[in-house]
Amino acid sequence: MVTASWPGVRPEWSREIDVPSTSDADAPGTVRRWHLLDNGAELSRLGLAPAGTLLCVHGNPTWSYLWRTLLAAGSDPAHPWRVIAVDQLDMGYSERTGTFRRLADRINDLGDLTDALGLDGPVITVGHDWGGVISLGWALAHPQHLTGVVLTNTAVHQPSGSGIPPALRLALHPAVHGWGTTTSDAFLRVTHSLANPPLPADIRKAYMAPYRGAHRRAGVGNFVADIPVDDSHPSFPALSGVAEGLRGLKVPVLMLWGPADPIFSDRYLKDLFSRLPHADVHRFEGAGHLVAEDRDIAAPVFRWLAPQGGASGSESPQAKATKTDGQELNKAAEPEAAAFRPLWDLIGGQAAGPAGADPAVAEMAPDGTVARSLGWQQLDRDILDLAAGLREAGMGSGSRVSLMVPPGVDLTIALYACLRLGAVVVVADAGLGTKGLSRAVKGATPDFLIGIDKALAAASVLGWPGRRISVRDLTAARRRMLGVETSLAALARSGAGRGSRQLTDSADPDAPAAVLFTSGSTGPAKGVLYTHRQLVAMRDTVAETFGIRSGARLVAGFAPFALLGPALGAVSVTPAMDVTAPRTLTASALADAAAAIDATVVFASPAALRNVLATRDGVGAAGHQALEGIELLLSAGAAVPEPLLAEVQRLLPRASLHTPYGMTEALPVTDISLEQIQAADAEAAAGTVAGAGNGVCVGWPVHGARVAVVPLAPDGTAPGCHPVAEAGVTGEILVSAAHVKEAYDRLWLIQRESISVPGWHRTGDVGHFDAAGRLWVEGRLAHVVTAPGAVVTPVGSEQAIERLDCVRLAAIAGVGPAGTQAVVAVVETLPPARKAGPAEPQLAGRVRSAALEAGVHVSAVLVVPAQPTDIRHNAKIDRTRLSRWATRVLAGGRPGKP
């Protein structure tokens, strides 16, 4: 009997059982001794009836210890589940059989064990590594017991055109295999080293415990030798049988993945998802092969098992009641349903109408001239031609296409051609930074990558997935070097004249259409999935809210609106700027773009507007005349200070200035004009409207949107599920609208949290309403400071500090344990400080006084030469990063760079 003590394992879980073997690897009548970790006896002792059984199967070279957190969670009286974690034969503390057991044998072995246990349904299989394949083999053979499947990093098929992972190829090499897997413990140590963060010493020791000595490691070597590297391998038929069998598996599936795995990378996740398209998927950024060690998987597994989770189709009475509440709130704001018109509908309409020869899309050259322009008829024809060529190249409905082309004519054509084919466009811009962009592209696992030379070179160096297509024709040598198959130009030529015959004007409204990535300002950038219906709703919301109709002329200084312009029937021009750095937009570039199309609408981020004002002296008389023709300015992406807007108003004297509030998941949500901002600020200062102040006023919900809040708790969280819209109640902001995202892409846990109030999207922002129904944004939920006896939202005090003439940007951060945090103000001064660190006493006093006027007691004031902002907007301050930095500085550490 195994009686050793291992961290995180209760002694009563460990048990052994003798199992009659029916495997072809054993002689008839053979009985094998298995070791298990099983909480069944504990549940019985506590008088708890389990909801079902989790059958957990480890891979190589781990053992049942891998699943200890599931055993602990399953023993919780709040959600009891029996958890049986097996040690496969020749592994862990199970019997060393002295036989070579292949994949089919191991699947059969698991069936022998469950028969001996008398296991019946409901059973959820849980598998990792090659234990994933074995658990799936058992699942396919026992459909009468199976109610769900959980998979962590594993694989059932080697994707075509790619070899097995280098680490496994090395382990299989004859010169390495025996020594690396059996004679020495190298294979175990290398596997354990993949953990991120590194495993504590006692955990490493527990993983090594069953494999002390070469005689205990034969199973490790045999497991490696049984990897089917090609179709001649003896275990290939068994593996193929499992892989193909999954296509008929209809039970709920949860996949929890570590994308930093050098063995089972995202390409294997993509293959699994193609076989199990109904699966719930969550990728833990930064986690790797030992995802069960790198992250808490027990919490998401048991959330998935709970009512409303993936493995249960039921919905709790409370959830039903909450959904009703959410549907009733602001019901009058819901628009009437309209006939679905695909996103490209107005492109064809403009092409067929009197404006057909007029410009549709243009891009500017650095010298202020129009570098390239297409009329509506030519744009429509080019889209159809390219779509036909892309279809011939193998692109079709559901294909994922990463578009790495700057805003302009080429991107417009490529985007709408892909959408017309039913492909899913993946838009991850260079504003995420190299690391963020690479992480986003790999996570989206595109089938195709369309890019300019710079993007294709990055794809080659960084190993981005997808068949590569260049924008322009390349030389044969250049194509080989970049791994490029063809070009957009070549595909358009091959499809010329045939697109209109092959494509329909319709689209499946509920089919996926796009994955757009967040800015990554509050953590790794998240992919946001939109359907065609939701993109169309976004177009229609923008049109109705801002009155943008066919024939409008738009200067798009921000990529999303460059792409939305043609869908609105608006002439769109991209100014000469680096779209990945909004602050590179100059006043003369804006004026040149406006003059080129007699623009009536401008969209630019706050960072872009700051640089426009800083460079306005370079605008001549003709430029000023063009800017005076602007009727509407939209600026979003971050808070826009009223003084900045007032300065912009002088540059655009006839324009109505609006600052819509929104996010990648829902754009726009609310809207407000400069005049309305000034009125709100005056009312807040005078105290004439209840609830006015302490934040940025972002106005009222846009056409078709409903907005509410879930009140904050004393610990700074928003745990409730009842939306309210009462004046003066601070809480997490919720939005409900037809143009809210479909889901976070392959982030099931985050998606579930975002819709935990049924019928609403939780934005992660905090704010409140005033008595006039206006929304005031107070910051991010993650940035709320929990000081003793107070919950501090950052924006109100930051605004007060930024009114000081010596402060350009301010950020409030919390230092210390939750509930007792000290409030720290970090300021970027004018002129900039030479180095970061504690503020001079005079400045610190002024900052403290300003914050106190906003009701916030600041404990410390630090200065930085420049605030750490996101790359895309050049405006969103990373307060979490500042909090870590401030903690180090106040503890006496070297300030360095935040």
Side-chain angles (χ1 to χ4, degrees):
M1 184 69 182
V2 178
T3 58
S5 175
W6 308 294
V9 173
R10 298 169 195 167
E12 63 185 306
W13 294 345
S14 179
R15 60 175 292 203
E16 292 178 321
I17 181 173
D18 290 330
V19 178
S21 174
T22 64
S23 171
D24 289 341
D26 293 324
T30 300
V31 175
R32 296 299 186 188
R33 172 152 288 201
W34 289 67
H35 175 254
L36 319 172
L37 295 180
D38 180 0
N39 69 345
E42 180 182 22
L43 295 178
S44 297
R45 177 174 56 79
L46 296 173
L48 299 174
T53 300
L54 299 183
L55 179 61
C56 304
V57 189
H58 67 85
N60 187 32
T62 56
W63 56 288
S64 56
Y65 187 67
L66 180 73
W67 308 115
R68 63 193 181 282
T69 61
L70 294 182
L71 283 141
S75 301
D76 188 332
H79 44 69
W81 277 76
R82 186 181 182 187
V83 180
I84 300 173
V86 308
D87 281 358
Q88 298 194 58
L89 293 175
D90 298 316
M91 303 293 287
Y93 286 98
S94 286
E95 179 182 345
R96 283 356 186 214
T97 68
T99 63
F100 192 108
R101 311 188 85 79
R102 297 204 176 274
L103 175 59
D105 298 317
R106 293 195 174 278
I107 294 171
N108 188 82
D109 289 341
L110 188 58
D112 288 342
L113 172 65
T114 57
D115 287 345
L117 290 169
L119 192 64
D120 56 14
V123 176
I124 308 286
T125 60
V126 185
H128 172 252
D129 191 86
W130 289 107
V133 184
I134 293 162
S135 69
L136 289 170
W138 184 94
L140 293 172
H142 297 80
Q144 72 277 21
H145 301 318
L146 188 72
T147 56
V149 167
V150 177
L151 295 172
T152 62
N153 293 46
T154 187
V156 297
H157 174 70
Q158 184 63 37
S160 60
S162 60
I164 64 170
L168 294 182
R169 192 160 57 244
L170 177 63
L172 281 164
H173 193 281
V176 174
H177 177 257
W179 173 87
T181 63
T182 306
T183 305
S184 77
D185 60 7
F187 190 76
L188 285 99
R189 293 186 181 279
V190 168
T191 301
H192 301 160
S193 72
L194 298 176
N196 181 28
L199 296 176
D202 59 342
I203 303 298
R204 284 201 315 273
K205 183 178 178 181
Y207 272 118
M208 294 291 289
Y211 300 109
R212 300 292 184 189
H215 68 287
R216 300 284 299 171
R217 294 191 288 265
V220 174
N222 290 346
F223 243 125
V224 172
D226 197 43
I227 297 172
V229 294
D230 55 41
D231 58 8
S232 66
H233 192 280
S235 285
F236 184 83
L239 182 64
S240 296
V242 172
E244 292 309 308
L246 294 186
R247 300 189 189 280
L249 195 65
K250 302 304 180 186
V251 298
V253 178
L254 175 65
M255 300 183 195
L256 302 176
W257 211 262
D261 188 349
I263 302 168
F264 298 119
S265 60
D266 277 320
R267 67 181 180 181
Y268 295 102
L269 173 62
K270 182 182 180 71
D271 175 74
L272 280 166
F273 191 70
S274 72
R275 300 168 191 277
L276 299 165
H278 63 288
D280 296 314
V281 178
H282 188 86
R283 298 171 68 257
F284 292 97
E285 286 294 350
H289 182 68
L290 295 176
V291 64
E293 294 293 342
D294 296 350
R295 299 294 185 271
D296 173 15
I297 68 163
V301 166
F302 280 87
R303 287 194 68 178
W304 184 74
L305 293 172
Q308 288 188 290
S312 173
S314 62
E315 186 172 62
S316 67
Q318 182 187 13
K320 292 180 180 177
T322 304
K323 182 176 288 188
T324 301
D325 292 342
Q327 290 169 342
E328 292 299 321
L329 188 64
N330 295 331
K331 189 173 182 179
E334 296 180 5
E336 294 183 7
F340 177 79
R341 296 180 299 117
L343 200 64
W344 54 83
D345 181 68
L346 285 177
I347 298 177
Q350 290 284 77
D358 294 345
V361 59
E363 53 191 63
M364 301 299 294
D367 64 0
T369 61
V370 177
R372 193 176 173 198
S373 176
L374 286 184
W376 288 104
Q377 290 175 350
Q378 188 65 50
L379 175 62
D380 188 44
R381 187 160 51 248
D382 286 356
I383 290 170
L384 292 172
D385 289 348
L386 179 58
L390 289 169
R391 173 176 282 179
E392 286 184 359
M395 188 182 296
S397 179
S399 298
R400 287 198 166 202
V401 187
S402 179
L403 295 176
M404 312 202 81
V405 184
V409 174
D410 290 323
L411 180 58
T412 301
I413 295 170
L415 173 82
Y416 285 95
C418 291
L419 290 175
R420 292 210 60 158
L421 284 174
V424 181
V425 295
V426 177
V427 182
D429 61 80
L432 297 178
T434 302
K435 185 177 179 180
L437 178 60
S438 189
R439 184 167 51 215
V441 174
K442 289 181 178 179
T445 59
D447 302 289
F448 296 85
L449 190 153
I450 299 174
I452 58 174
D453 278 21
K454 185 177 179 180
L456 295 170
S460 298
V461 172
L462 300 173
W464 293 344
R467 296 168 56 191
R468 296 172 198 162
I469 300 174
S470 63
V471 175
R472 304 291 178 202
D473 290 331
L474 303 177
T475 64
R478 185 74 174 158
R479 284 200 309 273
R480 285 192 300 271
M481 184 176 73
L482 297 177
V484 170
E485 294 185 14
T486 184
S487 68
L488 293 183
L491 291 170
R493 290 192 297 269
S494 70
R498 290 181 288 122
S500 58
R501 296 194 301 271
Q502 296 179 358
L503 298 173
T504 66
D505 288 326
S506 62
D508 178 356
D510 299 312
V515 176
L516 312 178
F517 278 84
T518 63
S519 66
S521 60
T522 54
K526 298 183 288 290
V528 179
L529 181 66
Y530 277 90
T531 64
H532 283 272
R533 188 186 303 279
Q534 289 150 352
L535 289 181
V536 164
M538 183 190 299
R539 174 199 66 192
D540 296 345
T541 297
V542 169
E544 290 298 323
T545 300
F546 304 111
I548 301 176
R549 300 284 185 264
S550 293
R553 297 176 296 281
L554 168 68
V555 177
F558 193 49
F561 271 71
L563 302 176
L564 198 58
L568 292 163
V571 182
S572 303
V573 61
T574 304
M577 63 179 292
D578 179 357
V579 292
T580 69
R583 57 186 167 202
T584 59
L585 178 63
T586 64
S588 58
L590 177 62
D592 291 339
I597 61 169
D598 295 326
T600 57
V601 182
V602 169
F603 189 100
S605 74
L609 292 180
R610 284 193 177 92
N611 198 53
V612 165
L613 292 175
T615 57
R616 58 187 157 182
D617 291 343
V619 179
H624 277 290
Q625 183 177 359
L627 295 177
E628 288 171 3
I630 303 297
E631 300 171 2
L632 173 67
L633 169 83
L634 304 175
S635 187
V640 189
E642 184 274 337
L644 175 66
L645 287 174
E647 284 290 303
V648 172
Q649 185 73 84
R650 285 189 276 275
L651 187 63
L652 309 177
R654 294 183 56 240
S656 176
L657 274 52
H658 287 249
T659 61
Y661 159 70
M663 56 222 64
T664 308
E665 298 89 339
L667 182 69
V669 173
T670 66
D671 178 52
I672 192 169
S673 68
L674 171 59
E675 295 79 10
Q676 291 167 336
I677 290 172
Q678 292 169 332
D681 288 345
E683 290 163 357
T688 55
V689 176
N694 191 35
V696 175
C697 187
V698 296
W700 295 267
V702 297
H703 174 79
R706 296 176 293 146
V707 182
V709 301
V710 169
L712 288 187
D715 64 356
T717 64
C721 56
H722 292 284
V724 300
E726 299 171 16
V729 177
T730 294
E732 183 180 5
I733 298 169
L734 312 178
V735 58
S736 178
H739 61 282
V740 172
K741 57 114 171 91
E742 176 70 13
Y744 286 111
D745 188 44
R746 299 172 187 178
L747 293 169
W748 173 83
L749 189 58
I750 295 175
Q751 169 62 13
R752 183 174 167 83
E753 291 169 352
S754 76
I755 58 171
S756 61
V757 180
W760 297 86
H761 167 69
R762 302 186 78 131
T763 66
D765 290 338
V766 291
H768 68 275
F769 293 96
D770 64 20
R774 295 171 298 210
L775 180 66
W776 295 73
V777 176
E778 301 179 46
R780 292 287 295 170
L781 185 62
H783 299 153
V784 169
V785 180
T786 53
V791 173
V792 179
T793 55
V795 171
S797 52
E798 289 172 351
Q799 288 179 311
I801 295 168
E802 286 174 354
R803 284 193 281 270
L804 298 174
D805 56 8
C806 58
V807 174
R808 179 178 178 270
L809 288 174
I812 293 295
V815 171
T820 61
Q821 288 184 310
V823 179
V824 177
V826 182
V827 297
E828 179 183 329
T829 59
L830 290 171
R834 288 186 300 167
K835 61 180 181 178
E840 295 294 332
Q842 183 178 3
L843 173 62
R846 294 186 66 191
V847 169
R848 284 192 176 95
S849 297
L852 193 59
E853 291 178 7
V856 175
H857 294 268
V858 170
S859 299
V861 180
L862 304 175
V863 297
V864 291
Q867 295 280 18
T869 58
D870 68 298
I871 301 172
R872 178 185 291 175
H873 300 289
N874 304 135
K876 294 183 178 180
I877 298 173
D878 189 343
R879 292 169 178 81
T880 303
R881 178 173 161 187
L882 283 178
S883 179
R884 292 194 300 267
W885 173 76
T887 300
R888 185 177 76 243
V889 172
L890 295 176
R894 295 183 61 185
K897 183 179 179 181

